[in-house]
Amino acid sequence: MREIRVIGDPVLRTPTEPVTEFDRDLRRLIDEMMDAMYAADGVGLAAPQIGVSKKLFVYDASGRKGHVINPELIVDDAEEVLDEEGCLSVPGRDTGKPLYARTPRAAGVTVRGFDRLGRPVKVKARGLLARCFQHEYDHLDGVLYVDRLAKDAARKILLQAP
């Protein structure tokens, strides 16, 4: 089982590289990411969270599951929605569980990219799935949800993290 990296690990702050090889190793990585996400009770996981600096994330939210390679995120509905959000890479020091905070996100997005065989994929999302896509997409640019919080809220979370 791949270990989930936590805040402070440089891989979480480093922009990722595009996937160029759609091979057996990539398919194995996707399967390992899904296993790690489920083991941690997550709804999404980006490759940097397991130490792989590649543009790839997996998800299972709002009754939909899958993966997107080399994603492009398009905001369809920019209305800001504040809702609770946490991250497997920002656990509480004492609990090891994600720390949650009301985080602003766009109401609706579309993600375009490729599947494990290099075929184009396009997924429109609202609600939890839209939040998940934005959260995981941020990871690919070295951005954590705490970066989107007000300064005081971010400080509160960071003081509880490892």
Side-chain angles (χ1 to χ4, degrees), residues 116-162:
R116 64 178 57 216
L117 300 175
R119 299 176 301 208
V121 295
K122 179 179 174 181
V123 184
K124 293 182 85 55
R126 296 189 67 77
L128 177 61
L129 187 59
R131 179 168 295 278
C132 175
F133 284 170
Q134 292 169 82
H135 180 107
E136 302 311 331
Y137 186 83
D138 274 354
H139 274 298
L140 304 181
D141 288 331
V143 176
L144 298 175
Y145 84 105
V146 293
D147 301 331
R148 299 205 174 269
L149 300 176
K151 193 175 187 176
D152 289 344
R155 184 174 184 274
K156 182 179 175 183
I157 294 291
L158 294 173
L159 286 173
Q160 297 174 64

Side-chain angles (χ1 to χ4, degrees), residues 25 36 41 47 75 79 92 134 137 154:
D25 290 339
D41 291 325
V75 174
E79 177 186 349
Q134 292 169 82
Y137 186 83

Side-chain angles (χ1 to χ4, degrees), residues 33-96:
M33 288 175 64
M34 291 295 281
D35 290 344
M37 177 186 70
Y38 288 133
D41 291 325
V43 297
L45 189 73
Q49 291 181 274
I50 60 163
V52 178
S53 192
K54 293 289 184 187
K55 291 192 181 303
L56 160 66
F57 65 77
V58 298
Y59 62 92
D60 187 345
S62 303
R64 298 174 80 176
K65 66 180 176 178
H67 60 275
V68 184
I69 300 162
N70 298 335
E72 173 187 359
L73 182 89
I74 300 118
V75 174
D76 300 326
D77 182 348
E79 177 186 349
E80 185 177 281
V81 177
L82 275 173
D83 205 350
E84 292 292 307
E85 189 170 323
C87 181
L88 298 173
S89 292
V90 186
R93 182 176 37 258
D94 297 331
T95 65

